[in-house]
Short mmCIF file of all heavy atoms in Angstrom, two decimals:
data_model
loop_
_atom_site.label_atom_id
_atom_site.label_comp_id
_atom_site.label_asym_id
_atom_site.label_seq_id
_atom_site.Cartn_x
_atom_site.Cartn_y
_atom_site.Cartn_z
N LEU A 41 89.84 97.51 178.77
CA LEU A 41 90.90 98.30 178.16
C LEU A 41 90.64 99.80 178.34
O LEU A 41 91.57 100.57 178.62
CB LEU A 41 91.01 97.95 176.68
CG LEU A 41 92.28 98.41 175.96
CD1 LEU A 41 93.51 97.76 176.57
CD2 LEU A 41 92.19 98.08 174.48
N GLU A 42 89.39 100.21 178.18
CA GLU A 42 89.04 101.62 178.37
C GLU A 42 89.26 102.06 179.81
O GLU A 42 89.73 103.16 180.08
CB GLU A 42 87.59 101.86 177.96
CG GLU A 42 87.37 101.81 176.46
CD GLU A 42 85.90 101.84 176.09
OE1 GLU A 42 85.06 101.30 176.85
OE2 GLU A 42 85.57 102.39 175.02
N ALA A 43 88.90 101.19 180.74
CA ALA A 43 89.10 101.50 182.16
C ALA A 43 90.58 101.71 182.46
O ALA A 43 90.94 102.61 183.23
CB ALA A 43 88.52 100.39 183.04
N LEU A 44 91.43 100.90 181.86
CA LEU A 44 92.87 101.07 182.04
C LEU A 44 93.31 102.45 181.52
O LEU A 44 94.10 103.15 182.15
CB LEU A 44 93.64 99.98 181.29
CG LEU A 44 93.84 98.65 181.99
CD1 LEU A 44 94.54 97.67 181.04
CD2 LEU A 44 94.66 98.80 183.26
N ARG A 45 92.77 102.81 180.37
CA ARG A 45 93.14 104.09 179.75
C ARG A 45 92.65 105.28 180.58
O ARG A 45 93.30 106.33 180.62
CB ARG A 45 92.56 104.15 178.33
CG ARG A 45 92.91 105.38 177.54
CD ARG A 45 92.56 105.21 176.08
NE ARG A 45 91.16 104.88 175.88
CZ ARG A 45 90.18 105.79 175.86
NH1 ARG A 45 90.45 107.07 176.05
NH2 ARG A 45 88.94 105.41 175.66
N LEU A 46 91.53 105.10 181.25
CA LEU A 46 90.93 106.19 182.04
C LEU A 46 91.36 106.17 183.50
O LEU A 46 90.88 106.96 184.30
CB LEU A 46 89.40 106.08 181.96
CG LEU A 46 88.79 106.21 180.57
CD1 LEU A 46 87.30 105.89 180.61
CD2 LEU A 46 89.02 107.61 180.01
N LEU A 47 92.26 105.27 183.83
CA LEU A 47 92.65 105.04 185.23
C LEU A 47 93.03 106.32 185.95
O LEU A 47 92.56 106.60 187.06
CB LEU A 47 93.80 104.02 185.28
CG LEU A 47 94.26 103.55 186.65
CD1 LEU A 47 94.75 102.11 186.55
CD2 LEU A 47 95.41 104.41 187.17
N SER A 48 93.89 107.13 185.34
CA SER A 48 94.41 108.31 186.03
C SER A 48 93.31 109.33 186.34
O SER A 48 93.41 110.10 187.29
CB SER A 48 95.51 108.98 185.20
OG SER A 48 94.99 109.42 183.95
N VAL A 49 92.23 109.33 185.53
CA VAL A 49 91.13 110.28 185.75
C VAL A 49 90.10 109.71 186.72
O VAL A 49 89.64 110.41 187.63
CB VAL A 49 90.44 110.63 184.41
CG1 VAL A 49 89.30 111.62 184.63
CG2 VAL A 49 91.45 111.20 183.42
N ALA A 50 89.75 108.45 186.54
CA ALA A 50 88.67 107.86 187.33
C ALA A 50 89.08 107.42 188.73
O ALA A 50 88.30 107.53 189.68
CB ALA A 50 88.07 106.67 186.58
N GLU A 51 90.30 106.93 188.87
CA GLU A 51 90.69 106.30 190.14
C GLU A 51 90.60 107.23 191.35
O GLU A 51 90.08 106.82 192.39
CB GLU A 51 92.11 105.72 190.02
CG GLU A 51 92.50 104.88 191.23
CD GLU A 51 93.81 104.16 191.02
OE1 GLU A 51 94.61 104.60 190.17
OE2 GLU A 51 94.03 103.15 191.70
N PRO A 52 91.08 108.48 191.28
CA PRO A 52 90.98 109.35 192.46
C PRO A 52 89.53 109.58 192.91
O PRO A 52 89.25 109.62 194.11
CB PRO A 52 91.62 110.66 191.98
CG PRO A 52 92.51 110.27 190.86
CD PRO A 52 91.80 109.14 190.17
N ILE A 53 88.62 109.70 191.95
CA ILE A 53 87.20 109.92 192.29
C ILE A 53 86.61 108.68 192.94
O ILE A 53 85.93 108.76 193.97
CB ILE A 53 86.40 110.28 191.01
CG1 ILE A 53 86.93 111.59 190.41
CG2 ILE A 53 84.91 110.41 191.33
CD1 ILE A 53 86.32 111.94 189.06
N ILE A 54 86.86 107.52 192.34
CA ILE A 54 86.32 106.27 192.88
C ILE A 54 86.89 105.97 194.26
O ILE A 54 86.16 105.57 195.18
CB ILE A 54 86.60 105.09 191.92
CG1 ILE A 54 85.95 105.33 190.56
CG2 ILE A 54 86.10 103.78 192.53
CD1 ILE A 54 84.45 105.52 190.61
N ASN A 55 88.19 106.19 194.44
CA ASN A 55 88.80 105.91 195.74
C ASN A 55 88.28 106.83 196.82
O ASN A 55 88.14 106.43 197.99
CB ASN A 55 90.33 106.02 195.64
CG ASN A 55 90.95 104.82 194.96
OD1 ASN A 55 90.34 103.75 194.89
ND2 ASN A 55 92.17 104.97 194.46
N THR A 56 87.96 108.09 196.48
CA THR A 56 87.36 109.00 197.46
C THR A 56 85.99 108.50 197.88
O THR A 56 85.62 108.54 199.06
CB THR A 56 87.24 110.42 196.87
OG1 THR A 56 88.54 110.89 196.51
CG2 THR A 56 86.63 111.38 197.88
N LEU A 57 85.20 108.02 196.92
CA LEU A 57 83.89 107.45 197.24
C LEU A 57 84.03 106.19 198.09
O LEU A 57 83.24 105.95 199.00
CB LEU A 57 83.13 107.13 195.95
CG LEU A 57 82.58 108.34 195.19
CD1 LEU A 57 82.09 107.92 193.81
CD2 LEU A 57 81.45 109.01 195.96
N LYS A 58 85.04 105.38 197.80
CA LYS A 58 85.26 104.16 198.57
C LYS A 58 85.58 104.45 200.03
O LYS A 58 85.22 103.69 200.92
CB LYS A 58 86.40 103.34 197.94
CG LYS A 58 85.98 102.51 196.75
CD LYS A 58 87.16 101.72 196.23
CE LYS A 58 86.69 100.68 195.23
NZ LYS A 58 85.93 99.61 195.87
N GLN A 59 86.26 105.55 200.25
CA GLN A 59 86.60 105.93 201.62
C GLN A 59 85.37 106.40 202.40
O GLN A 59 85.32 106.31 203.62
CB GLN A 59 87.66 107.04 201.60
CG GLN A 59 89.01 106.57 201.09
CD GLN A 59 89.97 107.71 200.82
OE1 GLN A 59 89.66 108.88 201.12
NE2 GLN A 59 91.13 107.41 200.26
#
Side-chain angles (χ1 to χ4, degrees):
L41 195 62
E42 287 172 327
L44 275 176
R45 183 168 56 82
L46 299 172
L47 185 148
S48 62
V49 180
E51 188 172 22
I53 298 173
I54 299 302
N55 283 340
T56 301
L57 287 169
K58 279 181 168 290
Q59 292 169 6

